[in-house]
Amino acid sequence: MKRMHLHVSVPDLTQSIQFYETLFGAAPVVVKDDYAKWMLDDPKVNFAISERVRSAGVDHIGIQVDSAEELGELADRLKAAGADTFDQEATTCCYAKSDKSWVRDPAGVRWETFFTFGEATSYGEDEVLPEASAAACCGPADGSAPKQACG
């Protein structure tokens, strides 16, 4: 089973938790000083909020999978489509241990596909997804180099 994942950066965690508890009709399943997460079944989504260094709004979108094999299949599809991925193994992020594959879509939206296999006691480190330059995004006018996802 796959589950949609949305991560939103918020300026006030307490206020945002109250808002999303009302919206979802459920309390978060994880609450930390800088992070909260809901694992909703209707709609089927892993929804997280955090007070991190990024600006407020959608931080990234993703697809959570149930196995390392599913993660490999998704990452392979992205690579086959010509996307440059940034892969992480056994990384700690969002109070969890996960294997991940990151990519930017053509509009520059950050996407992660991930398989979580354990909990962590710290938030961990934010991923470092390289920024693509305008030239790298569009590639040379003569088409001699492969196009990359925009950053």
Side-chain angles (χ1 to χ4, degrees), residues 102-144:
W102 289 90
V103 68
R104 288 186 187 274
D105 74 8
V109 176
R110 296 175 338 123
W111 277 83
E112 80 173 317
T113 56
F114 64 101
F115 167 59
T116 298
F117 50 84
E119 295 181 6
T121 57
S122 67
Y123 185 89
E125 299 198 21
D126 289 326
E127 76 293 338
V128 180
L129 187 58
E131 295 290 332
S133 69
C137 171
C138 302
D142 65 4
S144 61

Side-chain angles (χ1 to χ4, degrees), residues 11 16 55 75 97 121:
S16 295
S55 60
K97 287 284 198 183
T121 57

Side-chain angles (χ1 to χ4, degrees), residues 28-85:
V29 296
V30 175
V31 177
K32 304 292 183 181
D33 290 340
D34 58 351
Y35 175 85
K37 176 176 78 173
W38 288 257
M39 292 292 281
L40 303 170
D41 288 325
D42 184 19
K44 190 156 289 293
V45 65
N46 167 339
F47 183 83
I49 59 176
S50 65
E51 289 179 332
R52 306 302 296 168
V53 295
R54 298 194 211 311
S55 60
V58 174
D59 184 75
H60 64 272
I61 303 169
I63 299 173
Q64 181 177 7
V65 298
D66 288 332
S67 70
E69 293 77 23
E70 282 183 312
L71 177 60
E73 290 170 12
L74 280 173
D76 287 347
R77 289 194 333 232
L78 289 168
K79 291 171 187 171
D84 290 328
T85 62

